[in-house]
Amino acid sequence: MQTAPTPSAGSSGTALTLDDLFRRTVSRQPDDIALVDPPNKQRITGETPLQLTFAQADQAVSAIAAQFVDSGLPAGSIIAMQMPNTVEFAVTALAAIRAGLVVALLPQLWRQSELTTALNRIGARAIVGIGRIEIIDHADLTLNAAAEAFSIRHVFGFGNDMPEGMAPLAITTSGMNGWLPPAPPDARRPAIITFDVTPDGFRAIPRNHLQLISGGLAVFLEAGLPQGAKLLSAMAPASFAAFASTVMTWLLSGGSLALHHPADLPVLEQQIVDGPCDTLIAPALLALRLAENGTLARPQAAVKHVVGLWRTPDRVAGSDNWQDGGTTLTDVYLFGEIGLFAARRLEDGAPAPIAPGAFGAPRGAARSKSIGEIIVTPKATLALRGAMVPVTAYRLPSGESLMETPAPDYVDTGYAAHLDRAKGTIGITAPPVGIVGVGGYRFLSQDLDEWARRLAAGAMLTALPDQLNGFRLAGRASDNRRAREALGELGLNPLMVEAFRDRSSST
């Protein structure tokens, strides 16, 4: 029977922390493989791919944690990270947590404008980057963003030939036996911060260890993942959902975590075939494509569990049935940074019906763990509450509410939801009004008009429906090349800039 640690069984008699989960596996199986780099890491960052045992990973975590402490960062400081899906990300995040810091996850596509806004909003004291990701000079990007964030005091980075002003970090796998932080992490204090866009604007969303463990359990238990699972993740590490479904399921299972830097389909297919991995964590539509083309059914593939993340939860019900009979698919419904819930597909491959009310994991089991609650609000929208949902982070600041009624103990996701009283199920029918989601990046629709107005008269930037990402951006200007240059100079991310790509070439 599958078991998982509970949030109340810490080594010191207090609630579990992420470091507690990691240290337990280190002590039980130090020589087992813990982390595996993407095989194409040399192309992505210029670094040689690594494979670390738990003992080696623990040494690396302690070494980087000690460097953070020695630099003078006090416990509780916020350290931002903009990194690819490589071993360095997982090790650095755990090191910061071991040092008592709060990790702010910055999306890889963010450029100077978004980075500066986020860093100033949270008052980050430090930032960690990497020399390059693909063809982008991220070391220069990190330094420029840090220069505009008044609170930043330390800039760290991985890679060769780090520029002046960036303290180098490295993966060290020996020499740190017995190192302990000045003070152990507190499970009830924030561990990570992610960023969301709501109708009220840009928000920083902190979560403590208990909330992260709850999110990880929602996925781990519903998907029926085994202890010692061999995970392969193709999720970019910049959101609560990606962190909960990858780092947390890895820590809860005590298995190995192989990483894929999204998204190179031939490389991912090769990782699945070469394995061995028994669990694939990927965007749901990509998982469906892999099932359709037979990748998961190849004789060499050992995948038994697929965790598919839906950034467009309103499209789960209408999706194709799961076609691979040798694996199970668990749909994970994502609602920005608010929260998630998971539902394993039925035996015929159809999406499981979703009912309102309290839900546990695994669903329907006699002793399932209580995870949260799904609510249909009086406005016919879907709301979430429960241990993983950071309700206070989504409340309006004091004095901004126009009503005297008490604040609700749930967060409205804004997704339109219809309750079928005859069947007792919910239909999620439309995304939030006024918010554009392109993959994992969310914008206010009014912001698109603002960016377009910064260009020449008559320029237009709009969002069009897209089956894979929810929306895609399209732009029009009298000179698309100059529009791209102008948006790049403003420090906007490639989603904005490439909306004005040249479409004049014949096909």
Side-chain angles (χ1 to χ4, degrees), residues 192-273:
I192 71 165
I193 296 173
T194 56
F195 300 91
D196 203 357
V197 172
T198 73
D200 300 308
F202 181 77
R203 288 179 182 264
I205 311 298
R207 272 188 171 85
N208 63 30
H209 299 254
L210 304 180
Q211 291 168 321
L212 292 170
I213 291 173
S214 179
L217 286 172
V219 178
F220 177 77
L221 295 176
E222 178 63 20
L225 303 187
Q227 288 295 315
K230 295 178 173 60
L231 309 168
L232 170 60
S233 171
M235 297 302 301
S239 66
F240 163 65
F243 197 91
S245 62
T246 57
V247 175
M248 294 311 308
T249 54
W250 168 55
L251 294 175
L252 289 166
S253 75
S256 62
L257 176 60
L259 302 166
H260 172 81
H261 181 71
D264 189 325
L265 188 57
V267 172
L268 180 60
E269 290 178 336
Q270 194 62 47
Q271 287 181 274
I272 291 170
V273 171

Side-chain angles (χ1 to χ4, degrees), residues 36 43 100 118 139 151 169 220 257 269 283 349 355 423 426 458 464 488:
V36 182
R43 179 184 65 78
S151 59
L169 296 175
F220 177 77
L257 176 60
E269 290 178 336
K423 297 180 180 179
I426 292 175
L464 303 175

Side-chain angles (χ1 to χ4, degrees), residues 391-470:
V391 175
T392 55
Y394 282 90
R395 286 179 178 162
L396 287 171
S398 178
E400 291 190 19
S401 176
L402 299 179
M403 301 180 66
E404 299 298 329
T405 56
D409 63 346
Y410 58 77
V411 179
D412 190 341
T413 69
Y415 278 84
H418 169 72
L419 177 60
D420 186 328
R421 298 189 182 280
K423 297 180 180 179
T425 59
I426 292 175
I428 307 172
T429 57
V433 175
I435 295 177
V436 176
V438 182
Y441 303 90
R442 283 155 61 100
F443 311 92
L444 289 176
S445 56
Q446 65 192 39
D447 288 345
L448 301 182
D449 296 333
E450 174 62 27
W451 297 127
R453 280 196 294 269
R454 298 194 183 194
L455 304 174
M460 180 189 71
L461 184 60
T462 189
L464 303 175
D466 181 83
Q467 182 179 8
L468 183 61
N469 290 316

